[in-house]
Amino acid sequence: MEELTTYDGTVHSLIFQNAENGYTVLRLLTEEGEVVTVVGCIPCVAPGEHLTVSGVWEQHPQHGQQLRAVELERALPEDEEEIFNYLSSGICKGVGPATARNIVDRFGVETLEILEQAPERLTAIKGITARKAQEIAAGFRQHMGMRRLMAFLARYELPPVLAMQLRQTYGDAALEMVQNNPYLLSTDDCGVEFSVTDAIALSMGFDEGCQARLQAAVTFELSHNEHNGHVFLPRSKLIAATAQLLGCDESLPEAALDTLVERGTVVQEQVANVEACYLRRLWEAETDACARLNALLEVSADQSRQAERTVEEIQQEAGITYAPQQRRAVELAAQVGVLILTGGPGTGKTTAVRGIVALFRKMGLDIVLAAPTGRAAKRMSELTGMEAQTVHRLLGMSWNDATHQITFQKTEKEPLEADAVVVDEMSMVDLPLFSALLRALRPGTRLVLVGDADQLPSVGAGNVFADLIRSGRVETVFLREVFRQASESAIIRNAHAVNVGQPPQMTNDQGDFFFLCRRDAQRTVSTVVELCKTRLPEKMGIPADQIQVLTPTRKGPSGTIRLNQCLQEALNPAAADKRELMWGERLFREGDRIMQTRNDYDVVWEKADGTVGTGMFNGDVGKIVEIDPSGEWLMMDFDGRSAAYSLEMLSEVDLAYAQTVHKAQGSEYRCVVMAAMPAAQSLMVRGVLYTALTRARELLILVGDDAAVRAMAENDRQQRRYSGLRWRLAHYQKDHKE
């Protein structure tokens, strides 16, 4: 834990203040007469205000030492001169220095009380009408509302930035709403841990058995498990988990759940002999996806021999002969409304997709290609010669401030102008995104879903790709033959071996696959660093920026946190011409490889050709191009999309020299170095190892414990995800015939 230094003083002047995120640089005149530069999230601060600041000293490359605020206590100015400085600083619209002087001369130390409680008295001052008095008062009350909200949060040691989030979500009523129901802090908008929120509520006098607490705990459990991939929870498990969370009898959360069901916040439905409990939006996503997919499936198929003749033409033009299953996939694409194409590495998925695209072109169809991530879309473009977009961008995704939800421009009201849509890396697509995609398709649009069913499921809720395959409702082509050229790759041979439960061949004479045995975490890390810094660039001609380090876990001696620290120092060391910035315990430096760690729909980016768009998504990888000399923002580049990030946005960015295997889904790298050391049991599974191996295009090096690698290959344990899509699809026709 960092040691905090505390100063008491008066705000002397503001150097910088960002109204949107609250980031502030100010000069604090201490009681000892010292002037201290303070930086941090301090919304609505103004000269004349009293501050008690506890923070950490940081060395800024241009501006020297400054105190990064961690904890704050604030008090309004008390004497007339301080009040004048405060009021004339611009905190109230329409009050400049002259008006401020007139107000303070008239009302003295009572000025602030008059502004808030008796603004009509301002009309006694020449030039202030009744209307202007009310405008001044409204501005001041808004300002004070933010101050009081911050003071409330500070009382419970919550960060000031949270005040900005609450303000954006609930407006002027934010403080009142949180005081009435502090459990609002644990919603997805705010993200405070339930245990923290619960402690606050209980300290405020909320009863342990009150409905607000019980209902918040139930919805928290559903939301928490959504982040673990579950679309619903069985009623019995939900009640038991909530009771454990609260340390109470199960009858209390059971009654709260019934109330939420009656209100419609939670939907309870019988799914495959389970009393399934859904958050409403997930239930709507699942039922809507099922209905819309079935509508696409019911489109009459083309049973003519035209498809066969067209495939012959495509083969002749391309100078190739499709394998039987590849040919079947291409022909089926002409005959059915929805097609799934799945297979592992080296089985010819790309060739089949190219064939399907060529077929659709010959049919005169307007084709759209998409993938869940920017990197996957870019790879799809390179392989097909056609533009591919992320699914989010295809659907015109944006953030609705009013509803605090993602919205899509493309819906049934304004559908995609496409006759055929092909989606790659389908295993990464979660249920809400799949539902949104189906909403955007016109009736009769052909849909082709491509992916590897053996890879890890999506980070978000659901197991869509596997559910679609297992439902038996969607025509599916399995590509299982590994082609001769591909079989010459040890990467592909070993990936297929792992997929059937066999360990990879751990020798060093396999051409594109190497294993370096290291049974100690420290040696594993040092070997990984040496490979990236020296051995691979010098001996194999692979530059460091084309090497991706993967590991199963974030934490631990060989997790991404430790690896990124070591790799940053080795690959992008400190230099006089590189600005750097400490943010919490993390160091960011110009030239660093970084990753977006959560979806941010408000980020504005621009390409070199002038194209402007919004949104950066979980898994997007980029580079720090520039750190502002004042330390207030960083310029990032994500595959040609430039975006300015404020300091508060660094909470959603991490170094990406090393990534977890889960984060690497949908991406392909020239060279992968995997640190394979023991980790949490849930991560030491076959799917993680298989996915890691299939990320490498030219070279894969496993570094680590051979016993850990064998254990992963043998462990086919898959975490069950509660999802009703498979069951709904399998029963849809039967239910609707009845």
Side-chain angles (χ1 to χ4, degrees):
M1 184 71 182
E2 296 169 301
E3 187 175 342
L4 301 183
T5 305
T6 302
Y7 289 92
D8 289 297
T10 304
V11 178
H12 179 269
S13 57
L14 291 184
I15 309 303
F16 173 83
Q17 188 163 56
N18 187 321
E20 291 184 2
N21 58 33
Y23 180 77
T24 302
V25 182
L26 60 83
R27 300 272 195 260
L28 186 73
L29 180 62
T30 71
E31 293 177 349
E32 292 75 28
E34 184 184 356
V35 178
V36 176
T37 301
V38 179
V39 302
C41 181
I42 319 174
C44 303
V45 72
E49 190 171 341
H50 294 282
L51 292 184
T52 300
V53 184
S54 297
V56 180
W57 282 110
E58 295 177 345
Q59 185 69 30
H60 192 277
Q62 274 71 45
H63 304 295
Q65 276 208 319
Q66 48 192 33
L67 190 72
R68 176 168 55 82
V70 178
E71 298 172 1
L72 283 169
E73 288 183 23
R74 305 170 63 166
L76 289 169
E78 295 173 351
D79 67 42
E80 289 189 14
E81 195 58 31
E82 287 177 350
I83 292 171
F84 166 72
N85 290 334
Y86 184 67
L87 200 56
S88 63
S89 67
I91 62 166
C92 293
K93 188 178 177 182
V95 180
T99 304
R101 174 56 67 195
N102 290 335
I103 295 173
V104 175
D105 285 350
R106 179 83 182 201
F107 299 110
V109 296
E110 295 180 341
T111 293
L112 301 182
E113 186 181 342
I114 298 291
L115 285 173
E116 191 168 18
Q117 297 179 17
E120 66 278 0
R121 292 177 63 184
L122 295 175
T123 57
I125 298 170
K126 188 178 178 180
I128 298 182
T129 63
R131 181 177 176 181
K132 187 172 180 179
Q134 291 304 319
E135 286 175 354
I136 292 171
F140 186 72
R141 285 172 184 148
Q142 190 177 53
H143 172 81
M144 291 302 296
M146 176 61 87
R147 284 183 52 90
R148 291 189 178 107
L149 179 59
M150 287 188 63
F152 174 84
L153 297 174
R155 201 180 308 153
Y156 301 104
E157 299 182 353
L158 293 172
V161 70
L162 185 57
M164 303 299 295
Q165 293 171 288
L166 287 164
R167 185 85 184 178
Q168 288 170 359
T169 305
Y170 301 113
D172 291 346
L175 178 59
E176 184 182 356
M177 291 185 69
V178 172
Q179 286 174 328
N180 290 337
N181 184 9
Y183 293 102
L184 291 174
L185 295 170
S186 287
T187 61
D188 285 343
D189 290 323
C190 301
V192 179
E193 280 290 326
F194 181 86
S195 58
V196 174
T197 303
D198 195 38
I200 293 170
L202 295 175
S203 73
M204 291 171 64
F206 280 73
D207 187 82
E208 288 188 356
C210 71
Q211 281 300 298
R213 181 178 190 241
L214 296 169
Q215 291 173 22
V218 172
T219 54
F220 173 80
E221 278 296 339
L222 286 171
S223 182
H224 174 75
N225 279 281
E226 177 189 352
H227 297 307
N228 291 333
H230 300 296
V231 180
F232 69 80
L233 284 182
R235 178 182 170 94
S236 58
K237 287 186 179 290
L238 175 57
I239 291 169
T242 308
Q244 186 177 4
L245 177 70
L246 297 175
C248 67
D249 187 79
E250 288 189 5
S251 62
L252 293 174
E254 185 171 18
L257 173 58
D258 289 339
T259 302
L260 289 168
V261 171
E262 287 171 20
R263 196 187 300 162
T265 306
V266 174
V267 177
Q268 184 173 298
E269 192 174 7
Q270 194 80 14
V271 174
N273 300 317
V274 172
E275 284 294 332
C277 295
Y278 294 80
L279 291 170
R280 174 162 287 279
R281 56 182 170 77
L282 290 177
W283 177 81
E284 288 174 350
E286 189 174 275
T287 52
D288 194 56
C290 180
R292 292 180 185 278
L293 187 68
N294 273 282
L296 293 177
L297 289 167
E298 288 165 6
V299 173
S300 52
D302 177 8
Q303 300 294 344
S304 71
R305 294 185 60 84
Q306 184 64 37
E308 295 180 25
R309 290 193 292 271
T310 307
V311 172
E312 289 292 344
E313 288 176 21
I314 294 168
Q315 288 187 133
Q316 288 176 11
E317 290 168 5
I320 59 172
T321 301
Y322 294 127
Q325 286 300 97
Q326 287 177 318
R327 178 163 183 146
R328 181 167 176 265
V330 179
E331 289 179 359
L332 275 172
Q335 297 169 356
V336 299
V338 185
L339 174 68
I340 289 175
L341 177 64
T342 182
T347 57
K349 284 200 303 293
T350 300
T351 300
V353 169
R354 285 196 192 114
I356 290 168
V357 170
L359 175 89
F360 286 161
R361 277 178 170 162
K362 285 185 176 291
M363 292 171 67
L365 305 181
D366 288 330
I367 312 157
V368 168
L369 307 183
T373 67
R375 292 218 158 189
K378 187 178 179 183
R379 195 173 83 239
M380 196 180 187
S381 295
E382 292 166 354
L383 295 173
T384 61
M386 283 183 64
E387 183 191 1
Q389 304 175 64
T390 64
V391 180
H392 290 91
R393 197 147 292 129
L394 177 70
L395 299 179
M397 183 229 62
S398 61
W399 180 254
N400 188 319
D401 286 325
T403 62
H404 312 293
Q405 288 183 339
I406 303 167
T407 60
F408 295 99
Q409 181 187 342
K410 299 297 180 182
T411 64
E412 65 273 25
K413 294 178 181 176
E414 189 184 339
L416 290 168
E417 293 181 4
D419 304 311
V421 175
V422 182
V423 183
D424 198 10
E425 296 289 351
M426 198 46 212
S427 62
M428 296 180 67
V429 175
D430 61 22
L431 176 66
L433 187 58
F434 184 59
S435 178
L437 174 65
L438 293 176
R439 280 187 69 197
L441 302 184
R442 296 183 299 202
T445 302
R446 296 170 186 270
L447 182 61
V448 179
L449 306 174
V450 185
D452 185 346
D454 295 313
Q455 283 189 35
L456 295 168
S458 59
V459 174
N463 198 3
V464 173
F465 198 46
D467 282 351
L468 294 177
I469 294 170
R470 292 168 185 164
S471 72
R473 287 278 291 118
V474 185
E475 195 75 59
T476 302
V477 177
F478 296 89
L479 300 180
R480 293 190 173 96
E481 180 189 351
V482 179
F483 290 93
R484 184 179 60 79
Q485 189 175 354
S487 69
E488 293 171 1
S489 163
I491 297 172
I492 290 175
R493 289 200 308 273
N494 282 313
H496 284 279
V498 167
N499 204 27
V500 295
Q502 299 170 7
Q505 189 178 345
M506 286 180 276
T507 59
N508 284 334
D509 56 352
Q510 301 179 67
D512 61 357
F513 186 103
F514 293 83
F515 174 72
L516 304 178
C517 188
R518 304 287 188 271
R519 296 194 174 106
D520 173 76
Q522 190 171 336
R523 284 192 67 211
T524 296
V525 171
S526 61
T527 301
V528 168
V529 171
E530 186 191 357
L531 284 166
C532 296
K533 184 182 180 181
T534 312
R535 288 167 65 178
L536 289 172
E538 292 181 1
K539 295 185 179 179
M540 304 287 289
I542 302 176
D545 62 2
Q546 295 181 26
I547 304 167
Q548 183 59 61
V549 175
L550 300 181
T551 181
T553 183
R554 274 181 51 77
K555 299 177 180 177
S558 61
T560 58
I561 296 172
R562 174 65 178 152
L563 279 165
N564 272 318
Q565 290 171 342
C566 297
L567 288 164
Q568 180 191 47
E569 197 54 43
L571 303 179
N572 189 32
D577 61 344
K578 291 181 189 175
R579 295 192 190 102
E580 56 186 45
L581 179 70
M582 282 296 297
W583 183 248
E585 297 180 356
R586 295 178 298 158
L587 174 69
F588 294 98
R589 185 177 290 139
E590 289 178 342
D592 276 338
R593 188 192 305 177
I594 47 92
M595 172 184 280
Q596 186 79 16
T597 57
R598 70 177 180 84
N599 294 342
D600 188 330
Y601 310 103
D602 295 325
V603 178
V604 179
W605 52 261
E606 184 174 1
K607 291 185 176 180
D609 63 4
T611 305
V612 177
T614 59
M616 289 294 176
F617 304 107
N618 188 358
D620 284 352
V621 174
K623 183 178 180 181
I624 300 176
V625 177
E626 181 187 359
I627 297 177
D628 171 50
S630 66
E632 293 155 13
W633 51 263
L634 302 86
M635 186 59 69
M636 311 290 200
D637 183 274
F638 292 87
D639 282 330
R641 292 171 294 147
S642 295
Y645 276 52
S646 66
L647 294 193
E648 273 65 42
M649 294 165 71
L650 291 179
S651 62
E652 58 195 45
V653 171
D654 211 346
L655 295 174
Y657 298 101
Q659 300 178 29
T660 63
V661 177
H662 283 83
K663 289 289 188 187
Q665 279 183 270
S667 296
E668 190 177 74
Y669 310 97
R670 183 180 175 187
C671 173
V672 168
V673 177
M674 183 180 177
M677 295 295 292
Q681 197 60 33
S682 61
L683 298 170
M684 302 302 288
V685 295
R686 185 182 302 170
V688 170
L689 181 59
Y690 175 77
T691 301
L693 299 189
T694 56
R695 299 308 89 205
R697 190 170 64 248
E698 292 182 18
L699 181 65
L700 187 133
I701 303 176
L702 280 178
V703 184
D705 190 332
D706 53 337
V709 175
R710 289 191 182 90
M712 290 177 81
E714 291 167 3
N715 185 2
D716 194 26
R717 178 178 170 271
Q718 294 179 357
Q719 184 186 7
R720 181 180 178 184
R721 290 192 168 192
Y722 291 109
S723 161
L725 184 60
R726 175 186 174 185
W727 180 85
R728 290 185 194 279
L729 286 169
H731 289 76
Y732 187 87
Q733 278 188 315
K734 177 185 163 186
D735 292 345
H736 281 72
K737 282 178 182 176
E738 291 174 357

